[in-house]
Amino acid sequence: MTGNVCTQCGYDHVVIHRKHNGQRLCSSCFRKSIEQKVLKTIKKQKLITKGDKVLVGLSGGKDSVALLKILNILKEKNIIELEAVTIDEGISGYREEGVRIAKDVAKELDIKHHIISFRDKYSFTIDKIMEAESKEEHPQHACTYCGVFRRQIFNQTARDIKATKLATGHNLDDETQSILMNYLEGNINNMVRIGYKTESRDERFTQKIKPLREIPEKEIGLYVLESGFEVHFDGCPYAHESFRMEIGDFLREATLKHPTIMYSTLNGFEKIKPAIKKDYMENHTGKPNKTCVKCGEPSSQDICKSCNFLEKIHKKLE
């Protein structure tokens, strides 16, 4: 067997050489390996049980489309119910295409699809917020606002449709970036919460799961291309300014010389996480969630971060 043939079936059209384990795979074997890996992760980590109603955060990008397609395998076997939600933040020239693709994918798979926009829900768009922020001496980053409002919408939608799990398309790159970011920033509170699934003590939060957590970003990109899926490949125009992007660039560069670096980062973190979590939680027990007096959502304070942001934003927009 030569280096130009698939190490699984012997076919001579190889689409990927996995340097971290030496595998060379043809298109068919590669696609099967991704699906099997994700389904194995779901089973091993007990992310989904029979009868679950899973809500997928569907942006129209490669990760969320790949996730929806793979979870649809479980839907077709009548193991789970499946719905999708797409959030339109109002980013001109970027989000429109993602929403269109998300609609098409959900329709093709016959999956109930919810589309919620910042404009309808909050009466503004991210573009409008950033236009106002640009006039500030110390402007907030778009990701700060976007993350808070997106999390609120995801959780509210999951609760409204009585979903038991909320699935997101976080991949290996995303997770290793989060581990490094939170470590470098000294944010142990966020760091100990990184994992295959959330473990909230508040039943008002739907459990979040990350079935793609062990799949590198470039393999997900190849998976959707080889599968013939239409996806939105453009990146958010605001993301290039973020610290996460800097960490991502560092990891991608390191991977060129050290192909296993992201796998070892994730696996090493999983080994030390129980000890860090135990020690941290013993000294930081945290307070039980209250209820926001303005919107009624669970919050660690009397007024949740979303409502705090809303008040500031409306003042700026006035």
Side-chain angles (χ1 to χ4, degrees):
M1 188 173 284
T2 72
N4 296 320
V5 299
C6 177
T7 51
Q8 293 290 321
C9 70
Y11 182 52
D12 64 358
H13 185 65
V14 171
V15 297
I16 188 171
H17 174 208
R18 286 175 168 155
K19 292 182 180 178
H20 68 276
N21 63 11
Q23 278 186 334
R24 286 178 168 85
L25 300 173
C26 68
S27 179
S28 177
C29 290
F30 167 67
R31 284 180 280 119
K32 285 178 186 174
S33 76
I34 294 293
E35 291 165 1
Q36 288 169 356
K37 177 71 172 173
V38 174
L39 294 174
K40 183 179 178 183
T41 296
I42 289 171
K43 186 175 181 180
K44 183 180 177 182
Q45 301 298 331
K46 299 177 181 176
L47 303 185
I48 288 173
T49 54
K50 186 175 175 60
D52 268 335
K53 185 173 188 178
V54 182
L55 177 67
V56 174
L58 181 65
S59 68
K62 62 186 184 311
D63 304 304
S64 62
V65 169
L67 176 60
L68 192 71
K69 294 276 189 175
I70 295 172
L71 289 181
N72 193 54
I73 296 171
L74 299 179
K75 172 181 170 272
E76 289 182 335
K77 291 180 179 178
N78 294 316
I79 294 173
I80 62 171
E81 291 180 64
L82 194 58
E83 294 189 22
V85 59
T86 299
I87 298 174
D88 181 355
E89 307 92 343
I91 303 173
S92 182
Y94 164 70
R95 180 48 74 198
E96 297 94 339
E97 185 70 356
V99 172
R100 180 190 67 78
I101 291 170
K103 281 182 184 176
D104 290 345
V105 171
K107 186 177 180 181
E108 176 194 336
L109 298 178
D110 193 25
I111 290 170
K112 189 172 181 181
H113 186 210
H114 310 267
I115 301 173
I116 299 169
S117 71
F118 278 19
R119 187 188 297 278
D120 290 342
K121 187 169 178 62
Y122 301 119
S123 302
F124 55 69
T125 64
I126 281 291
D127 282 346
K128 279 290 183 186
I129 296 173
M130 297 319 294
E131 186 182 325
E133 282 293 329
S134 67
K135 299 169 187 174
E136 298 290 326
E137 186 178 353
H138 301 289
Q140 286 271 20
H141 193 274
C143 297
T144 304
Y145 291 119
C146 206
V148 169
F149 295 133
R150 283 170 60 86
R151 280 192 294 274
Q152 185 182 67
I153 292 171
F154 278 141
N155 195 61
Q156 287 176 339
T157 307
R159 198 170 59 236
D160 289 346
I161 70 165
K162 295 181 170 54
T164 52
K165 301 287 169 61
L166 173 57
T168 61
H170 290 84
N171 56 49
L172 179 64
D173 297 54
D174 297 325
E175 290 296 275
T176 51
Q177 288 165 19
S178 293
I179 291 165
L180 285 184
M181 280 173 58
N182 286 297
Y183 176 74
L184 292 173
E185 292 177 329
N187 195 337
I188 307 302
N189 184 52
N190 280 355
M191 194 173 176
V192 297
R193 286 172 168 76
I194 298 170
Y196 291 93
K197 53 189 174 184
T198 58
E199 297 171 8
S200 176
R201 292 175 298 169
D202 195 318
E203 62 182 16
R204 292 174 293 177
F205 288 116
T206 303
Q207 186 175 56
K208 297 183 182 70
I209 59 172
K210 302 173 185 175
L212 303 183
R213 195 174 185 240
E214 297 178 13
I215 312 293
E217 182 178 32
K218 66 178 183 180
E219 291 199 13
I220 295 172
L222 182 59
Y223 172 77
V224 295
L225 286 173
E226 290 298 319
S227 302
F229 304 152
E230 184 184 12
V231 298
H232 187 217
F233 275 109
D234 292 346
C236 176
Y238 295 114
H240 70 278
E241 305 165 3
S242 68
F243 181 44
R244 176 178 286 276
M245 185 65 79
E246 293 179 48
I247 296 295
D249 290 341
F250 162 74
L251 279 168
R252 280 186 286 274
E253 192 173 325
T255 301
L256 295 175
K257 290 184 179 179
H258 311 281
T260 62
I261 194 75
M262 286 195 286
Y263 295 99
S264 57
T265 299
L266 184 67
N267 293 334
F269 173 69
E270 285 301 310
K271 289 174 184 175
I272 66 171
K273 180 183 166 183
I276 298 172
K277 190 172 182 179
K278 182 176 183 293
D279 181 68
Y280 180 79
M281 290 305 183
E282 283 176 357
N283 296 295
H284 302 80
T285 52
K287 298 176 182 177
N289 279 316
K290 301 178 180 179
T291 297
C292 175
V293 295
K294 287 195 171 185
C295 69
E297 288 294 303
S299 170
S300 58
Q301 305 296 325
D302 291 331
I303 299 176
C304 71
K305 188 172 282 189
S306 176
C307 286
N308 268 319
F309 277 171
L310 287 172
E311 187 177 342
K312 291 176 184 176
I313 289 166
H314 286 302
K315 281 181 181 177
K316 289 179 181 181
L317 294 178
E318 286 169 3

